[in-house]
Amino acid sequence: MSNHRNFVLFAFSLIFIFTTACAQNTSESDTVDKNSSEYKIYKKNQCISCHGTDLEGRMGPLSNLQQVGSRLEKEEIRSILLQGKEETHMPGYEGIIEEENIEILSDWLSEME
Ligand code: HEC
């Protein structure tokens, strides 16, 4: 009987160890890779000042870009980057950021889900 109880305890501690390890993994993959070439473009163009170092947003909920890919298509992001958003603080970058980098940023952000 006591063997059975030990086994149950052992099984529960395994489950506990696995779930905590998994929880740590997800939170790691949620943070932005700061060494990526995309992040460097994001940083270089000062998106950080309004969108934060982890895309968490510093200007209200819509400036949080961590899941922007689940609300906007790549093409929509691209046009926001070019034209900005009227009546908000989101500036347009047409003629300021090279077309190629706008493309890279839209691609990158549309994968944030
Ligand atoms: C001066 C501040 C500021 C800067 C600089 C800025 N943004 Fe924004 N951005 C905002 C704000 C505020 C919003 C939310 C607008 C709204 O309320 O709809 C926004 C919205 C966005 C959105 C759309 C989010 C959504 O769900 O509608 C994208 C994509 C975005 N910004 C990308 C960028 C990128 C990439 C850069 C750098 C090239 C950048 N922004 C620079 C302030 C800024």
Side-chain angles (χ1 to χ4, degrees):
M1 243 5 217
S2 101
N3 268 347
H4 177 249
R5 212 183 63 198
N6 282 343
F7 176 76
V8 170
L9 277 177
F10 177 66
F12 270 112
S13 36
L14 269 189
I15 290 169
F16 178 74
I17 290 164
F18 273 110
T19 48
T20 44
C22 288
Q24 272 165 8
N25 275 343
T26 44
S27 72
E28 252 173 44
S29 67
D30 275 345
T31 58
V32 186
D33 177 7
K34 301 204 167 75
N35 292 315
S36 68
S37 55
E38 293 92 338
Y39 190 82
K40 283 177 187 143
I41 300 172
Y42 172 83
K43 194 175 165 190
K44 182 179 146 229
N45 290 289
Q46 267 120 49
C47 312
I48 284 181
S49 59
C50 300
H51 292 288
T53 51
D54 289 296
L55 308 187
E56 76 280 16
R58 289 183 180 161
M59 302 186 79
L62 277 175
S63 69
N64 181 318
L65 302 177
Q66 285 166 341
Q67 265 122 43
V68 69
S70 53
R71 20 176 218 278
L72 298 173
E73 297 292 324
K74 182 191 160 187
E75 279 313 305
E76 296 172 298
I77 295 175
R78 196 171 162 274
S79 88
I80 291 172
L81 293 188
L82 288 171
Q83 273 123 54
K85 275 184 108 177
E86 236 173 274
E87 282 157 49
T88 73
H89 292 283
M90 175 61 197
Y93 287 94
E94 185 154 26
I96 298 170
I97 299 181
E98 306 85 327
E99 193 70 26
E100 193 195 328
N101 285 345
I102 294 273
E103 196 64 27
I104 294 171
L105 284 174
S106 336
D107 239 341
W108 181 60
L109 289 173
S110 67
E111 278 156 26
M112 301 294 161
E113 290 182 336

